Amino acid sequence: MFEVRDYPELSWSLSRHKTMLTCLRKYAYDYYISHNGWLSDADTLARQTYRLKKITNLEMHFGSVLHDLIYQIIQRVLQNKEIPSEERVVDEIRHHLNRGFIESTKKEHLWQHRPKHYTMLHEIYYSQTNTLPPGKIQKITDRLQTTVKNFFASTSFADVLNKKDMRFLESEKFRYMKVNGIKIFIVMDLVYQDLQNNRWIIVDWKTGKSSEEDRSQLALYALYLKQKYNISSLEDIIIRNEYLLDGKSVEHTLTEHDVMNVQRLYNISIEHMQSLLAEPEKNAPKSLESFPMQSNPKICSMCNYQELCFPASSDV
């Protein structure tokens, strides 16, 4: 049963850690000030912050739509249902992107009241125009055909089609493990066991470019899977990044050193998070002034909370 709490539960994820390092003010808005902002009787700031938190941008929206459709396609394969063609998938993504644009430009009043259920694009909200930057439109248009084609040609989708030799686990759901009573959240795109080679495979679909953080993310996944299924060796776990933008499939076998590094990362990070609390037992944060704003204009220009940090102007 859903319980209304004054403060959220303290948890850890790689995205939360990255937010804390990027901007402490955004961290406060994301994880504390917006809490309960979905309730009709929430205070004005909580509701405003929660609404702004739900803003997305064109690249993120595209990635989210593509991930959702990949998940649906894989479920259709596993349920022996008809698989849509590449052209149909491209059309479906285009439809979702167009709907997001229409909701951002013509249905802002609906988003204001139900921000979780409607799309608001950052490019529309803060430009105060009903147009998207031509360069971004071209960027997404170029990505659309390429990423769909590369998904259908990917190593991991070939494994899905060869499902008789694989055992699939539920994917795309929040999983967590507990460390000293704190939930550490992990979201994996696809997990399955290769029965012929007796190995576990974790797949992460990437719609953007590779980053230095990919390995930490993968080590966290491997640590979770090893503990959850009592896997004897990390060598039995293959982690695969499918970079849909350039069609590369990159496999990693992680070492104990990788796992130790990610354990050190979340332990230090959790300590930092706890230092930002006024009442640790309640997960009650210190005052908003204790969370300094970012001083980099480029980072601020991409942030959802511009109107809170710079109320006199929407432009940073």
Side-chain angles (χ1 to χ4, degrees), residues 94-281:
R94 228 181 245 124
H95 167 73
H96 283 284
L97 293 177
N98 288 335
R99 188 172 71 184
F101 175 75
I102 290 169
E103 289 178 1
S104 298
T105 54
K106 298 181 179 179
K107 298 183 179 181
E108 182 179 354
H109 60 292
L110 297 176
W111 171 79
Q112 290 277 356
H113 293 290
R114 302 180 69 200
K116 185 178 179 180
H117 300 281
Y118 291 89
T119 301
M120 175 54 68
L121 295 171
H122 189 282
E123 295 88 346
I124 298 293
Y125 189 78
Y126 279 112
S127 70
Q128 297 184 342
T129 68
N130 287 341
T131 57
L132 290 168
K136 277 208 170 190
I137 295 174
Q138 189 58 52
K139 179 181 178 182
I140 297 302
T141 301
D142 292 343
R143 285 186 177 189
L144 182 52
Q145 300 274 359
T146 302
T147 51
V148 172
K149 179 182 178 183
N150 287 337
F151 161 69
F152 277 96
S154 67
T155 301
S156 300
F157 189 56
D159 280 354
V160 172
L161 294 174
N162 184 31
K163 58 183 184 292
K164 64 182 176 62
D165 294 325
M166 310 292 168
R167 181 170 76 92
F168 291 86
L169 309 178
E170 282 193 76
S171 60
E172 280 285 9
K173 288 191 176 179
F174 273 98
R175 296 178 170 86
Y176 66 86
M177 55 186 180
K178 278 195 171 183
V179 174
N180 298 325
I182 294 174
K183 290 179 182 177
I184 295 184
F185 282 105
I186 297 109
V187 182
M188 296 183 284
D189 292 339
L190 181 64
V191 186
Y192 56 96
Q193 190 176 12
D194 181 339
L195 300 175
Q196 283 194 333
N197 297 301
N198 194 29
R199 62 180 190 170
W200 297 77
I201 299 170
I202 303 172
V203 179
D204 199 41
W205 308 106
K206 294 290 187 185
T207 56
K209 297 178 180 178
S210 61
S211 74
E212 294 177 2
E213 291 137 1
D214 289 352
R215 197 167 185 88
S216 294
Q217 184 181 28
L218 302 176
L220 196 61
Y221 294 168
L223 177 62
Y224 167 83
L225 202 67
K226 188 173 186 292
Q227 291 183 1
K228 176 74 174 177
Y229 294 98
N230 296 316
I231 300 169
S232 58
S233 171
L234 284 170
E235 292 181 359
D236 296 329
I237 302 174
I238 300 296
I239 309 223
R240 185 184 298 144
N241 278 135
E242 295 281 9
Y243 292 103
L244 300 179
L245 206 52
D246 56 17
K248 289 183 180 177
S249 180
V250 181
E251 291 191 356
H252 308 264
T253 301
L254 301 179
T255 65
E256 291 292 344
H257 184 67
D258 291 311
V259 171
M260 287 173 61
N261 280 343
V262 79
Q263 287 174 318
R264 189 180 302 115
L265 172 69
Y266 63 63
N267 282 323
I268 293 172
S269 179
I270 288 169
E271 281 185 23
H272 189 181
M273 290 176 183
Q274 290 172 325
S275 75
L276 299 168
L277 301 175
E279 298 180 74
E281 68 280 0

Side-chain angles (χ1 to χ4, degrees), residues 17-167:
H17 169 72
K18 285 163 63 178
T19 299
M20 181 178 66
L21 294 186
T22 302
C23 177
L24 283 171
R25 182 62 58 92
K26 182 180 190 297
Y27 175 81
Y29 285 142
D30 268 359
Y31 295 101
Y32 291 101
I33 310 300
S34 63
H35 179 64
N36 287 338
W38 54 86
L39 300 176
S40 57
D41 60 349
D43 65 62
T44 302
L45 179 59
R47 282 189 280 121
Q48 182 183 11
T49 309
Y50 175 71
R51 189 165 58 242
L52 294 175
K53 180 181 178 180
K54 294 299 178 183
I55 291 176
T56 187
N57 62 46
L58 199 52
E59 290 90 349
M60 288 175 61
H61 187 47
F62 170 73
S64 177
V65 168
L66 182 56
H67 269 84
D68 287 347
L69 285 176
I70 285 174
Y71 174 77
Q72 291 172 26
I73 292 166
I74 290 172
Q75 292 308 302
R76 292 189 69 83
V77 173
L78 299 182
Q79 295 165 14
N80 297 312
K81 294 181 178 178
E82 181 185 358
I83 307 169
S85 65
E86 288 183 30
E87 294 77 13
R88 187 173 158 194
V89 174
V90 168
D91 286 343
E92 186 70 14
I93 294 172
R94 228 181 245 124
H95 167 73
H96 283 284
L97 293 177
N98 288 335
R99 188 172 71 184
F101 175 75
I102 290 169
E103 289 178 1
S104 298
T105 54
K106 298 181 179 179
K107 298 183 179 181
E108 182 179 354
H109 60 292
L110 297 176
W111 171 79
Q112 290 277 356
H113 293 290
R114 302 180 69 200
K116 185 178 179 180
H117 300 281
Y118 291 89
T119 301
M120 175 54 68
L121 295 171
H122 189 282
E123 295 88 346
I124 298 293
Y125 189 78
Y126 279 112
S127 70
Q128 297 184 342
T129 68
N130 287 341
T131 57
L132 290 168
K136 277 208 170 190
I137 295 174
Q138 189 58 52
K139 179 181 178 182
I140 297 302
T141 301
D142 292 343
R143 285 186 177 189
L144 182 52
Q145 300 274 359
T146 302
T147 51
V148 172
K149 179 182 178 183
N150 287 337
F151 161 69
F152 277 96
S154 67
T155 301
S156 300
F157 189 56
D159 280 354
V160 172
L161 294 174
N162 184 31
K163 58 183 184 292
K164 64 182 176 62
D165 294 325
M166 310 292 168
R167 181 170 76 92

